[in-house]
């Protein structure tokens, strides 16, 4: 876990790899809960019997479920202190090169790409690579944009 005492110290880390999260296992229960929350009940996520004969050999996590794990992963990688708040501003780019099969372990790596001035603080772009244990391709590569308010 990297702890930055303030946003200026965080900005000084532009171009650095910030670390990796712990591995977490994707469960069918998580996939079901995500489907219920989003209304995406496609069979490749939920129908375990049909999915066995499908293109992935079993059920897979929603790409957006994988993406939504970034805040969880981030809590174990870095923290910027002395902020009044941090808010999600958006995403620059998101790709899902490899599906995540239920039961797989995933983790994230984070790299600080850019920090710019905005009123009241800074805007940070972090590139996240969500890896699948034992797979060559990542599950997700995304650039998040956050506002860090002093």
């Amino acid at each position: 876990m990297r702890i930055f005492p303030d946003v200026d110290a965080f900005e000084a880390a532009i171009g650095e790899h910030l670390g990796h999260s712990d591995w977490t296992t994707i469960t069918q229960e998580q996939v079901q809960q995500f489907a219920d929350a989003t209304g995406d009940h496609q069979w490749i996520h939920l129908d375990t019997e049909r999915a066995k004969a499908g293109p992935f050999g079993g059920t897979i996590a929603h790409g957006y479920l994988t993406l939504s794990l970034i805040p969880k992963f981030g809590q174990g990688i870095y923290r910027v202190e002395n902020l009044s708040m941090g808010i999600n501003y958006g995403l620059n780019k998101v790709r899902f090169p490899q599906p995540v099969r239920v039961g797989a372990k995933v983790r994230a790596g984070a790299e600080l790409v850019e920090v710019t001035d905005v009123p009241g603080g800074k805007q940070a772009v972090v590139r996240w690579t969500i890896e699948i244990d034992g797979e060559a391709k990542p599950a997700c590569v995304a650039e998040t944009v956050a506002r860090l308010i002093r």
Side-chain angles (χ1 to χ4, degrees), residues 61-120:
H62 304 74
Y64 288 138
L65 168 57
T66 305
L67 178 68
S68 74
L69 293 173
I70 287 174
K72 171 189 168 96
F73 292 140
Q75 291 175 357
I77 297 175
Y78 74 91
R79 181 174 70 235
V80 181
E81 296 185 328
N82 295 305
L83 298 175
S84 66
M85 69 177 152
I87 56 173
N88 292 321
Y89 190 71
L91 298 159
N92 285 341
K93 185 176 179 179
V94 179
R95 297 290 184 268
F96 303 106
Q98 177 80 18
V100 179
R101 293 210 27 208
V102 169
K105 291 181 182 178
V106 293
R107 73 172 182 178
E111 177 189 349
L112 183 57
V113 175
E114 176 182 292
V115 177
T116 55
D117 292 324
V118 294

Side-chain angles (χ1 to χ4, degrees):
M1 162 70 86
R2 285 186 71 177
I3 300 173
F4 297 93
D6 56 37
V7 71
D8 295 323
F10 187 57
E11 183 174 17
I14 291 173
E16 293 182 22
H17 192 270
L18 302 175
H20 286 96
S21 68
D22 290 336
W23 292 99
T24 189
T25 302
I26 300 299
T27 68
Q28 189 64 53
E29 181 181 3
Q30 281 176 302
V31 172
Q32 181 68 54
Q33 290 173 345
F34 191 84
D36 292 341
T38 62
D40 183 351
H41 292 95
Q42 191 175 170
W43 66 270
I44 60 174
H45 305 303
L46 304 176
D47 188 335
T48 56
E49 288 307 310
R50 183 175 176 192
K52 284 179 188 175
F56 308 111
T59 52
I60 61 169
H62 304 74
Y64 288 138
L65 168 57
T66 305
L67 178 68
S68 74
L69 293 173
I70 287 174
K72 171 189 168 96
F73 292 140
Q75 291 175 357
I77 297 175
Y78 74 91
R79 181 174 70 235
V80 181
E81 296 185 328
N82 295 305
L83 298 175
S84 66
M85 69 177 152
I87 56 173
N88 292 321
Y89 190 71
L91 298 159
N92 285 341
K93 185 176 179 179
V94 179
R95 297 290 184 268
F96 303 106
Q98 177 80 18
V100 179
R101 293 210 27 208
V102 169
K105 291 181 182 178
V106 293
R107 73 172 182 178
E111 177 189 349
L112 183 57
V113 175
E114 176 182 292
V115 177
T116 55
D117 292 324
V118 294
K122 301 282 186 176
Q123 179 169 290
V125 176
V126 177
R127 181 176 302 116
W128 297 88
T129 303
I130 300 177
E131 304 169 354
I132 308 167
D133 192 23
E135 297 286 342
K137 288 187 192 175
C140 178
V141 179
E143 285 188 358
T144 60
V145 183
R147 293 277 172 103
L148 306 174
I149 308 303
R150 296 181 193 269

